[in-house]
Amino acid sequence: MGDRAETGQSNEPDSQSAAGRDSRSRSARVRGHWARLLDRVGGVVRQLERADWAVLALLVVAAVLRLYRLGKESVWLDEALTWYRVTEQYTTVEILFVLPLEDVHPPLYFLLMDLWTSVAGASESALRFPSVVFGVTSVGLLYLFGVKVFDRSTGAIAAALLAVSSFHLYYAQEARMYTLMTALTVVSFYFFVDIADEESHGRLSVLGYLVSTVLLAYTHLFGTFIVLAQNAYLLSRVALSGGTVPVIGRVGTTATSLRGWLRVQALLALMVAPWWMALTARLRPISGGGCRGITWIPEPTPAGAVSILKRYFYYCGAPETVSPIPAEAFLLVMVLAGGLVVAGLFAAGDGRPGSGELLLLVWLLTPIVVPFVLSHVVAPIMVARYTIGASLALFLLVGRGVQTLRPYAPAAVRVALVGVLLLGLVAPLSGYYESDQKRQWRDAVESIESSGDRGDLVLVTKSHLVPTYQYYARRPPDTVVGMERLATRETVSEAVGDRGSVWVVRSWTGRTTLGDHLRSLNYTAVETVRSQGIYARRFVRVSGQNQASRQAYSSEKTATVRSAS
């Protein structure tokens, strides 16, 4: 008894001591995690502090270019759908759980816009402002990535190209998810490179990679091809390096295990699985071939795929936009950029691409080549703007190409080359700002609304164009009806009922039979509105008059043609 009592008394302090050690150990681990996080943030801050004023000026230039005339252009189809999704069609909860079943685009961007519009409203400038923020942020992030993997000059050159690229400028002034996708692509690759450095990555790097990549996957379908590019690079390198993940660029001195990387990818797949389940249900094959929701995308051609690279340097939404620089001068810019890209691939100096340069090549090609192949094998999915993440690798390769010339060309020559490239990208911007890049629904709707009556019926060819009209008209829902351009006479008759005045509005479509059906129902055209890419005609009922008086009435009224351009 005494021994047991003595033993029990001696065990109590030991258990307390062990609990204390465990508590101190946990506290030490927590402090260690926070210390690493603060060190990581401090490293980013130190990079920004070391950045010269030219790089900081790039952020200002990028912001000015993206904010300039932000609300000038009319909202067009895709932007109107953004507005309609977040303000009219879905609640916040429905954006999370219903929208993925009805739209091919993931819900993250729409969720952010739902929160933003509840605070800032839904004017043209308000809808586009988040894209501006993400676009400017991408410039700074690309600089940090270039510094991390290569050097300050590579990061600065790539950031400069991104800042003035008309391709990126266009989508930074559009209320869609493409600049958010761009920013998240850079962040995902930043932590991807960090994971390859076993000495520093730790749990925070894995967490950063998972969070940024999951957000990317929930922003756009093509985020999947960014993850595919990362895995294609790593697995190909692993096959050549005996089962270890190689160090990338100049980051770190060791490598992490393939098993650890596969665990990260498994966790990533688990977190993205709900979206892929919804997408699979949405895009399941239907009778007649094709996939639901993407039937508007044409099958890409090899020339079209190659032209995407040119778009990264020069692009305007309207094909009729006239570039202020001659075609020969732009060709020179493209040849210069192409030469620098080739030089950048061999910046390692041993006659073959280094690890960082090879990563950029895989990053550039995967989001273009894989969708091109799938578009021919499965269903067309390739659209130039969907590949926007690949353009970042192209800009970094140009920066590496300039650095490759360092042993052979003085600084003045390298600066001149960069200056020529930037001039080639900046020169077309005057045409971008001066020309309408989107279909001018604002002018067209204002002309229609000022000419007609609020009780007029508006037939819009294609139902998905109704939100674009309603964004400016805000009519009662039963007065704006989407209708196929080749609808039957019975369908048209049922829609118009006994209304005395009907507008037929079409855009993105060929000739419609709606006007012929209205004439057969005793309507006659009395007015026409034309705007860029939009054509509208007003029909009024003239029942009770004979054919001669109908023709006279029509001739008198159709002489008035309004122009909203």
Side-chain angles (χ1 to χ4, degrees):
M1 289 287 292
D3 290 343
R4 286 195 296 270
E6 184 178 349
T7 303
Q9 290 171 359
S10 63
N11 284 344
E12 185 175 350
D14 289 343
S15 62
Q16 292 176 351
S17 176
R21 286 195 299 270
D22 291 342
S23 177
R24 288 192 295 272
S25 176
R26 285 194 297 270
S27 298
R29 287 197 298 270
V30 171
R31 286 195 299 271
H33 286 316
W34 279 108
R36 284 192 293 272
L37 176 60
L38 292 175
D39 182 67
R40 184 65 49 78
V41 173
V44 173
V45 172
R46 286 191 293 273
Q47 286 185 14
L48 290 174
E49 289 176 344
R50 291 195 299 266
D52 53 26
W53 287 105
V55 174
L56 299 179
L58 279 177
L59 297 176
V60 176
V61 169
V64 170
L65 291 176
R66 286 153 177 77
L67 288 170
Y68 180 60
R69 308 187 81 173
L70 183 62
K72 167 187 170 285
E73 291 278 359
S74 167
V75 163
W76 77 292
L77 168 62
D78 282 11
E79 294 180 297
L81 287 176
T82 295
W83 162 78
Y84 181 67
R85 297 278 192 265
V86 302
T87 64
E88 304 290 325
Q89 187 175 14
Y90 299 114
T91 64
T92 303
V93 174
E94 288 173 337
I95 289 175
L96 286 172
F97 298 105
V98 179
L99 183 144
L101 300 174
E102 300 179 352
D103 197 311
V104 295
H105 293 300
L108 177 61
Y109 174 76
F110 298 102
L111 181 63
L112 294 176
M113 290 301 292
D114 176 60
L115 300 174
W116 171 252
T117 53
S118 66
V119 175
S123 66
E124 290 100 332
S125 296
L127 285 174
R128 294 164 180 162
F129 186 75
S131 294
V132 172
V133 174
F134 297 134
V136 175
T137 302
S138 298
V139 175
L141 291 172
L142 190 62
Y143 170 76
L144 293 176
F145 180 87
V147 172
K148 182 181 184 67
V149 179
F150 301 111
D151 51 60
R152 290 174 58 195
S153 296
T154 299
I157 293 170
L161 296 174
L162 175 59
V164 301
S165 165
S166 57
F167 182 79
H168 283 269
L169 175 58
Y170 180 89
Y171 292 109
Q173 293 191 322
E174 180 163 289
R176 296 296 279 177
M177 68 289 296
Y178 303 111
T179 57
L180 174 60
M181 179 184 177
T182 303
L184 290 173
T185 296
V186 184
V187 177
S188 176
F189 267 104
Y190 187 94
F191 285 109
F192 167 76
V193 170
D194 216 20
I195 289 177
D197 181 11
E198 190 178 70
E199 290 184 346
S200 66
H201 77 254
R203 294 179 181 177
L204 291 175
S205 295
V206 174
L207 178 63
Y209 174 78
L210 284 173
V211 170
S212 59
T213 309
V214 167
L215 293 178
L216 175 62
Y218 279 97
T219 297
H220 198 277
L221 170 63
F222 269 48
T224 302
F225 299 116
I226 298 300
V227 180
L228 181 61
Q230 295 167 348
N231 281 274
Y233 169 80
L234 279 180
L235 295 178
S236 63
R237 295 283 293 183
V238 165
L240 302 175
S241 61
T244 59
V245 178
V247 174
I248 301 173
R250 63 184 182 89
V251 179
T253 57
T254 61
T256 190
S257 67
L258 176 61
R259 182 178 299 175
W261 171 253
L262 293 179
R263 283 198 299 264
V264 172
Q265 293 302 291
L267 184 56
L268 175 63
L270 184 64
M271 298 169 73
V272 179
W275 158 240
W276 273 102
M277 293 172 62
L279 182 67
T280 301
R282 171 66 181 160
L283 297 182
R284 67 177 182 271
I286 58 175
S287 58
C291 290
R292 222 169 23 171
I294 57 175
T295 53
W296 60 271
I297 301 177
E299 191 171 88
T301 63
V306 173
S307 71
I308 290 177
L309 300 178
K310 185 193 80 171
R311 289 194 180 200
Y312 294 158
F313 288 98
Y314 171 67
Y315 172 75
C316 291
E320 59 269 22
T321 299
V322 178
S323 172
I325 62 173
E328 295 79 5
F330 184 70
L331 178 62
L332 175 63
V333 171
M334 291 302 300
V335 170
L336 174 60
L340 290 174
V341 167
V342 173
L345 285 173
F346 300 97
D350 58 358
R352 59 182 180 180
S355 59
E357 291 76 22
L358 184 59
L359 170 66
L360 296 182
L361 181 63
V362 176
W363 178 357
L364 171 64
L365 294 180
T366 302
I368 298 175
V369 174
V370 175
F372 178 84
V373 173
L374 291 177
S375 294
H376 288 273
V377 174
V378 182
I381 61 172
M382 189 172 183
V383 180
R385 59 182 179 268
Y386 294 176
T387 70
I388 193 168
S391 65
L392 306 172
L394 183 64
F395 296 153
L396 286 164
L397 279 172
V398 171
R400 291 301 290 153
V402 174
Q403 286 301 92
T404 303
L405 303 178
R406 192 168 187 173
Y408 314 105
V413 173
R414 300 197 306 272
V415 170
L417 289 176
V418 175
V420 170
L421 276 177
L422 292 177
L423 181 62
L425 268 66
V426 169
L429 295 185
S430 60
Y432 169 83
Y433 286 117
E434 292 170 3
S435 305
D436 290 331
Q437 303 301 316
K438 308 175 190 294
R439 306 222 166 189
Q440 297 305 299
W441 280 91
R442 180 201 297 134
D443 295 337
V445 173
E446 288 177 356
S447 294
I448 292 171
E449 294 297 307
S450 64
S451 300
D453 184 79
R454 293 287 290 180
D456 291 352
L457 177 67
V458 178
L459 299 180
V460 182
T461 57
K462 295 292 185 182
S463 298
H464 60 260
L465 290 173
V466 171
T468 317
Y469 191 96
Q470 284 288 59
Y471 177 82
Y472 290 107
R474 309 294 170 92
R475 281 170 162 261
D478 61 342
T479 64
V480 182
V481 178
M483 185 163 293
E484 292 298 318
R485 65 185 183 90
L486 300 179
T488 64
R489 183 179 184 276
E490 291 72 19
T491 302
V492 174
S493 176
E494 181 180 354
V496 301
D498 58 355
R499 294 181 187 270
S501 180
V502 179
W503 285 91
V504 175
V505 183
R506 62 184 174 92
S507 178
W508 300 103
T509 60
R511 184 182 180 277
T512 175
T513 60
L514 302 185
D516 295 336
H517 294 324
L518 287 172
R519 291 185 184 91
S520 71
L521 295 170
N522 293 323
Y523 286 85
T524 189
V526 297
E527 190 171 5
T528 301
V529 170
R530 291 187 178 91
S531 185
Q532 181 178 323
I534 303 162
Y535 182 81
R537 300 192 75 179
R538 185 187 183 196
F539 294 81
V540 297
R541 189 187 294 272
V542 291
S543 56
Q545 300 179 357
N546 58 35
Q547 185 68 19
S549 62
R550 285 183 59 200
Q551 291 177 349
Y553 183 75
S554 175
S555 300
E556 177 184 353
K557 295 294 184 179
T558 54
T560 302
V561 178
R562 293 178 179 268
S563 175
S565 58

